[in-house]
Amino acid sequence: MKNKMKSKKAVTKRFTFTGNGKLKMKHSHTRKNTWAKTRKQKRNLNKTAYVHETDAGRIGQLFQN
């Protein structure tokens, strides 16, 4: 029996797949120095972001399940 490949735990914590197969992630720059950001910046950083198509292939390979 061949061994199963394990998913990278760092990747599974940071990214999730949508129903259409796109990779969903959270924006960065949300923890510190929020006093220096405008309301609009903070509001837009709260929304989910999607991984660009060129990077999605590399990141998707780290999900082995």
Side-chain angles (χ1 to χ4, degrees), residues 20-62:
N20 291 332
K22 291 182 179 180
L23 279 170
K24 199 166 65 167
M25 65 180 185
K26 283 187 71 79
H27 280 284
S28 57
H29 308 292
T30 57
R31 293 279 182 167
K32 299 165 93 175
N33 297 336
T34 52
W35 56 269
K37 294 174 180 62
T38 62
R39 273 192 202 136
K40 185 176 180 179
Q41 277 179 307
K42 289 184 272 191
R43 185 173 60 242
N44 288 331
L45 287 173
N46 259 339
K47 298 176 183 176
T48 56
Y50 295 98
V51 177
H52 196 265
E53 300 157 358
T54 55
D55 297 324
R58 284 187 297 113
I59 296 169
Q61 284 179 347
L62 299 174

Side-chain angles (χ1 to χ4, degrees), residues 4-19:
K4 285 187 179 180
M5 296 292 291
K6 291 185 179 179
S7 298
K8 298 289 182 191
K9 292 301 174 189
V11 174
T12 58
K13 291 172 189 174
R14 287 173 175 84
F15 302 98
T16 53
F17 278 104
T18 62

